[in-house]
Amino acid sequence: CPPAYDPPPSHPSPPHPSPSTRSVIRVVTFSMLHLRSHVLMPHVPALLPAILTTAANNVQPDIANAAKSCALLLTYSPLSQRLLTQILEQLRILVSAGSWHLRGCVIQPLQQLAYRGQFLDLSNSHRDAFRLLLRQLMLDTQVEVREAVSGVTSGFVRLHGSDERERMLAWISKQVGKGSTLAARHSGVLALSAIVMLAPYDVPGWLPAVLERLAGFFSEPQPIKKTVTKTFGESLKAILTFHPDRPQPSSPPSPQSS
């Protein structure tokens, strides 16, 4: 029987893991590695948040790392539409936790579930749930969380095609609009970077407009400027590596040249 799970506390320093929690992590890890995941399936919605809460405990790094690996293994359980709904509901609670370490621990399992979900013929409600979780993490108050989820957002957009890209561009416009906070603007710029990374080795027709839009944020304060500079650097490096004969795209303008 999985341990009882209470919503995580609002303070950033969770208590030491109990011996029973360590035992649960060992049992779950052993079961998943020995292809006995069917035994755990009914308990995954209760196990995953409890184990992720332990993973966010930075007091004992060895236990935290074991819990992170264990939580990721749980996402390889056989998935049904019903089970995925239950898991996403638990993750929705966790992304509102007071500890940013806990919110950050949600990202890897969410990435794996989003990837596996493409083989389940996801309903619109499931896609909406994934999209909502990713956007909430993109708007996180902690910059480390926002940056970590950017790559997962790029993967989600890639999985769901041009319609999802257009939805993301519309969402970006709201985040970078007049009067938005620095964190919201950074979220929008990170989302633009995620869209650029959809085509790291090519230049599709929609990419120049996105790059031009991204370059417009070069003179913004940190961490926005760093995101713009990093994205252009990675994009240029990828293009020159796979297409060495192509003309180099222009870099974003410096404040002195404007």
Side-chain angles (χ1 to χ4, degrees), residues 55-238:
N57 189 335
N58 53 10
V59 176
Q60 294 183 311
D62 55 334
I63 301 298
N65 289 334
K68 289 175 185 177
S69 298
C70 182
L72 195 57
L73 283 172
L74 273 177
T75 62
Y76 287 89
S77 300
L79 283 178
S80 64
Q81 297 270 356
R82 180 172 176 271
L83 181 59
L84 182 59
T85 299
Q86 293 172 335
I87 293 174
L88 290 175
E89 176 59 26
Q90 294 298 327
L91 295 183
R92 184 189 65 79
I93 296 171
L94 293 182
V95 297
S96 299
S99 167
W100 74 265
H101 293 283
L102 179 51
R103 300 194 301 270
C105 283
V106 171
I107 295 173
Q108 264 199 319
L110 184 61
Q111 179 182 26
Q112 180 61 22
L113 288 169
Y115 174 76
R116 295 191 63 206
Q118 67 179 312
F119 304 108
L120 283 180
D121 190 21
L122 289 181
S123 65
N124 289 333
S125 62
H126 284 128
R127 277 191 290 270
D128 291 344
F130 276 117
R131 188 182 302 116
L132 201 62
L133 286 169
L134 289 170
R135 290 182 181 180
Q136 187 169 345
L137 288 166
M138 288 287 291
L139 288 168
D140 198 274
T141 56
Q142 193 73 25
V143 64
E144 289 88 348
V145 175
R146 297 198 299 267
E147 290 176 344
V149 80
S150 176
V152 183
T153 300
S154 182
F156 181 77
V157 174
R158 181 180 290 108
L159 285 175
H160 298 286
S162 58
D163 288 345
E164 193 62 41
R165 187 180 72 245
E166 293 303 317
R167 285 192 190 95
M168 180 58 70
L169 288 170
W171 181 81
I172 290 168
S173 297
K174 295 179 181 178
Q175 305 314 312
V176 301
K178 186 176 180 180
S180 59
T181 64
L182 178 64
R185 291 175 70 78
H186 186 222
S187 300
V189 172
L190 281 169
L192 279 173
S193 174
I195 291 178
V196 170
M197 290 300 107
L198 290 175
Y201 310 123
D202 201 1
V203 185
W206 51 263
L207 183 59
V210 175
L211 287 172
E212 183 177 354
R213 190 174 180 184
L214 183 64
F217 294 95
F218 182 75
S219 59
E220 294 272 340
Q222 301 292 5
I224 295 175
K225 181 175 180 178
K226 182 183 78 171
T227 299
V228 175
T229 303
K230 181 180 178 182
T231 304
F232 270 92
E234 291 178 350
S235 179
L236 177 60
K237 181 180 178 181

Side-chain angles (χ1 to χ4, degrees), residues 8-41:
S10 58
H11 57 78
S13 299
H16 287 268
S18 65
S20 61
T21 300
R22 299 182 191 191
S23 298
V24 167
I25 291 172
R26 292 190 185 100
V27 169
V28 171
T29 301
F30 178 87
S31 299
M32 294 300 298
L33 291 176
H34 289 77
L35 305 180
R36 297 176 182 174
S37 57
H38 61 283
V39 178
L40 300 172
M41 278 182 62

